[in-house]
Amino acid sequence: MRKHLIGIKVIDRNGKIPDLSTSLKRKVFGKTLSGLLLGIGFIIVIFDKEKQVLHNKIASTYVVYI
């Protein structure tokens, strides 16, 4: 819901809304790992050519503007 307010959404590599298992992998495992790595998982977006943070790489998802 908050993503909609700022005009973004999360999609999978096929351009569709991720299923529940992918969303859980992104949210629970990916974001936890990003945080445990002292925030480096969030900072890598600066250097990544696809502009993905670690939890999006783990779940094969992308954040796009709507």
Side-chain angles (χ1 to χ4, degrees):
M1 180 69 176
R2 289 178 281 159
K3 289 177 187 66
H4 184 342
L5 293 175
I6 58 174
I8 61 174
K9 69 178 180 177
V10 177
I11 59 171
D12 64 13
R13 67 180 85 177
N14 298 318
K16 299 183 179 184
I17 296 173
D19 59 13
L20 181 60
S21 66
T22 302
S23 295
L24 287 173
K25 185 187 325 180
R26 178 181 182 269
K27 181 77 170 181
V28 177
F29 179 69
K31 285 191 175 184
T32 302
L33 183 60
S34 291
L36 288 174
L37 295 173
L38 303 175
I40 293 172
F42 298 106
I43 296 171
I44 65 169
V45 72
I46 298 167
F47 306 103
D48 186 59
K49 66 177 180 146
E50 293 182 325
K51 298 299 179 194
Q52 287 180 295
V53 292
L54 183 60
H55 53 273
N56 285 331
K57 287 187 168 300
I58 290 170
S60 299
T61 56
Y62 300 88
V63 176
V64 295
Y65 291 100
I66 52 174

